[in-house]
């Protein structure tokens, strides 16, 4: 018999609106003590009047103490439901993308909270970010095997989310045999993906459409790609006609991958790399009198928690100021943020202040966000996190 978790009076409003999360302070712990639950156990969620509202998995040690996996209380999160949800997710991606390179499962956006799956053709990279998902790893592998028959499945379980759930880090090939090189194609450009030792799952599919937009504006231009990682922006810019590209990153290993990806596309002559921390590298380029036509700023999240907002906004402002100093008379800035806690209008304000600080004019000509393989759950604002602004920056 499935355990039950009862909500306090009026604590069911968000659930009725479509949200999937329950917080520990919303639970009627006198009736259904959270401490009685084993982490990852599944439970029927009940309104205060006892009405069943759905099935969730529970973690009594987390602020988000339960996550809804189905509104049907007769359903359980098991191999069968995973197969169904994976097929639903796959049907969307196959409508959106001609080739099998995309985020296949985006957690709450695909009604599978705590689960990420990225697809690189016949290699799948999985992140199990909650205890509830971690307990079901065998069912997840079996369902992926049934739906996609992959060559290999990698568990890339080293996210900060796991640590919040008191789970350890692990990176392993969970199924099949990993090829020597995992390749992907994005916007007509090929890349080697470091699925075992790269950031996140090895690649950031979320910026695909934003990169495609910028690719149309770089022909004959000198491009600076800051926080370049393995060259997603910079190598694509070179492939779309940029005369020169400089990729800057603090990781020597990432820059080796930039060079490898440039060579893979016959672009070694156009793409240079520079190792360094971003702010120091921008200052050094200014001191050397360098100038660029297009600058891409795609930093890691400067704001991880709400309390980081003031310091994070100052960092975004400073980063954009330093970059704009390196733009020519009529340049293009692509300024991005993956900080969920930074509202789009605040990024706009950071860029506006940076443009005026250099006594220039700005015209926002593009506002982008995450691609359709990262579908936004309309009841969960946290699923909409990515912002990208294309700004023409020019002198009087």
């Amino acid at each position: 018999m499935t355990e039950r978790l009862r909500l306090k009076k009026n604590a069911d409003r968000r659930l009725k609106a479509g949200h999937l999360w329950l917080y520990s302070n919303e639970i009627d712990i006198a009736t259904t003590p959270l401490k009685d639950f084993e982490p990852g156990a599944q439970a029927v969620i009940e309104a205060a009047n006892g009405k069943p509202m759905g099935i969730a998995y529970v973690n009594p040690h987390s602020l988000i103490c339960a996550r809804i996996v189905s509104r049907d209380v007769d359903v359980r999160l098991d191999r069968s439901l995973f197969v169904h949800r994976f097929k639903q997710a796959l049907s969307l991606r196959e409508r959106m993308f001609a080739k099998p390179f995309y985020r296949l499962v985006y957690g709450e956006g695909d009604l599978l909270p705590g689960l990420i799956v990225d697809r690189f053709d016949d290699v799948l990279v999985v992140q199990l970010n909650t205890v509830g998902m971690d307990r079901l790893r065998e069912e997840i592998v079996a369902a992926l095997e049934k739906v996609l028959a992959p060559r290999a499945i990698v568990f890339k379980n080293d996210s900060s989310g796991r640590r919040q759930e008191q789970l350890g880090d692990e990176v392993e090939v969970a199924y099949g045999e990993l090829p020597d090189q995992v390749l992907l194609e994005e916007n007509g450009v090929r890349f080697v993906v470091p699925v075992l030792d790269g950031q996140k799952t090895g690649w950031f599919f979320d910026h695909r459409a934003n990169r495609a937009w910028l690719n149309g504006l770089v022909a004959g231009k000198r491009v600076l790609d800051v926080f370049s990682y393995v060259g997603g922006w910079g190598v694509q810019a070179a492939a779309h006609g940029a005369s020169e590209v400089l990729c800057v990153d603090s990781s020597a290993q990432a820059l080796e991958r930039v060079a490898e990806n440039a060579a893979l596309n016959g672009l070694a002559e156009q793409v240079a790399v520079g190792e360094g921390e971003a702010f120091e590298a921008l200052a050094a380029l200014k001191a050397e009198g360098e100038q660029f036509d297009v600058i891409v700023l795609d930093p890691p999240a400067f704001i991880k928690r709400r309390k980081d907002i003031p310091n994070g906004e100052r960092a975004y402002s400073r980063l954009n100021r330093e970059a704009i100093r390196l733009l020519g008379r009529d340049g293009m800035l692509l300024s991005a943020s993956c900080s969920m806690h930074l509202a789009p209008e605040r990024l706009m304000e950071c860029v506006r202040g940076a443009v005026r600080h250099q006594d220039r004019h700005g015209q926002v000509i593009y506002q982008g966000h995450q691609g359709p393989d990262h579908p936004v759950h309309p009841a969960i604002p946290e699923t909409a996190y990515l912002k990208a602004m294309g700004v023409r920056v020019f002198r009087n």
Side-chain angles (χ1 to χ4, degrees), residues 169-208:
D169 289 358
E170 57 167 17
V171 177
E172 63 174 342
V173 179
Y175 168 85
E177 196 171 318
L178 196 63
D180 292 337
Q181 279 193 332
V182 177
L183 296 170
L184 80 87
E185 185 181 314
E186 183 180 285
N187 299 326
V189 185
R190 292 187 304 150
F191 292 87
V192 177
V193 186
V195 297
L196 291 176
D197 58 0
Q199 294 178 25
K200 306 285 183 166
T201 62
W203 186 255
F204 296 89
F205 282 120
D206 49 4
H207 267 306
R208 179 196 330 239

Side-chain angles (χ1 to χ4, degrees), residues 11-275:
D12 57 358
R13 289 175 180 166
R14 277 183 312 102
L15 251 59
K16 285 179 176 175
H19 212 296
L20 304 178
W21 295 351
L22 296 171
Y23 292 95
S24 54
N25 62 0
E26 296 174 323
I27 306 303
D28 179 355
I29 55 173
T31 307
T32 55
L34 268 173
K35 63 180 175 58
D36 291 351
F37 283 86
E38 187 183 340
Q42 296 186 40
V44 174
I45 304 301
E46 295 180 340
N49 62 6
K51 180 185 176 185
M53 299 192 69
I55 289 286
Y57 62 74
V58 181
N59 184 355
H61 307 307
S62 176
L63 176 62
I64 303 172
C65 67
R67 300 174 197 247
I68 298 286
V69 294
S70 177
R71 301 283 169 172
D72 183 345
V73 296
D74 295 321
V75 165
R76 295 295 172 269
L77 184 58
D78 55 16
R79 178 178 176 272
S80 175
L81 185 57
F82 280 123
V83 167
H84 176 63
R85 292 265 195 267
F86 292 162
K87 286 180 175 177
Q88 284 180 321
L90 182 62
S91 72
L92 171 66
R93 277 71 178 177
E94 289 184 336
R95 267 181 278 169
M96 296 291 168
F97 305 110
K99 295 188 175 180
F101 306 104
Y102 39 70
R103 175 147 291 182
L104 174 67
V105 175
Y106 174 53
E108 283 78 357
D110 286 298
L111 307 182
L112 287 168
L115 180 64
I116 299 294
V117 183
D118 276 0
R119 183 179 186 188
F120 305 100
D121 193 7
D122 57 2
V123 174
L124 305 176
V125 182
V126 177
Q127 287 190 316
L128 309 169
N129 292 323
T130 57
V131 173
M133 284 298 172
D134 198 70
R135 273 180 53 153
L136 295 166
R137 55 180 57 212
E138 289 179 12
E139 289 86 344
I140 290 167
V141 168
L144 288 171
E145 193 183 342
K146 179 174 174 62
V147 175
L148 285 169
R151 176 176 176 178
I153 299 173
V154 174
F155 281 156
K156 188 69 161 52
N157 291 330
D158 56 2
S159 67
S160 58
R162 280 179 67 85
R163 293 187 276 283
Q164 289 167 12
E165 293 263 319
Q166 299 175 3
L167 290 165
D169 289 358
E170 57 167 17
V171 177
E172 63 174 342
V173 179
Y175 168 85
E177 196 171 318
L178 196 63
D180 292 337
Q181 279 193 332
V182 177
L183 296 170
L184 80 87
E185 185 181 314
E186 183 180 285
N187 299 326
V189 185
R190 292 187 304 150
F191 292 87
V192 177
V193 186
V195 297
L196 291 176
D197 58 0
Q199 294 178 25
K200 306 285 183 166
T201 62
W203 186 255
F204 296 89
F205 282 120
D206 49 4
H207 267 306
R208 179 196 330 239
N210 304 322
R211 287 191 276 252
W213 175 80
L214 190 68
N215 289 344
L217 298 173
V218 296
K221 304 296 186 187
R222 191 162 193 245
V223 178
L224 174 63
D225 177 10
V226 188
F227 306 98
S228 69
Y229 185 43
V230 298
W233 294 93
V235 174
Q236 286 192 40
H240 287 84
S243 58
E244 273 183 76
V245 176
L246 175 60
C247 289
V248 171
D249 200 275
S250 60
S251 164
Q253 187 180 38
L255 294 175
E256 286 174 15
R257 298 267 166 62
V258 171
E260 183 181 7
N261 287 322
L264 182 66
N265 292 278
L267 301 166
E269 294 296 311
Q270 289 100 298
V271 180
V273 300
E275 185 183 345

Side-chain angles (χ1 to χ4, degrees), residues 330-390:
D330 190 349
M332 182 68 64
L333 176 71
L334 189 294
S335 185
S337 167
C338 61
S339 295
M340 181 269 292
H341 292 295
L342 184 73
E345 60 271 19
R346 294 305 299 162
L347 179 61
M348 180 86 75
E349 180 62 18
C350 291
V351 173
R352 181 207 63 76
V355 170
R356 291 310 302 145
H357 187 270
Q358 303 300 328
D359 197 24
R360 301 204 198 183
H361 300 285
Q363 293 173 316
V364 178
I365 58 173
Y366 176 79
Q367 294 186 67
H369 41 79
Q370 64 216 60
D373 54 348
H374 292 65
V376 174
H377 191 302
I380 307 179
E382 292 87 350
T383 58
Y385 65 95
L386 195 71
K387 295 145 292 264
M389 286 174 50

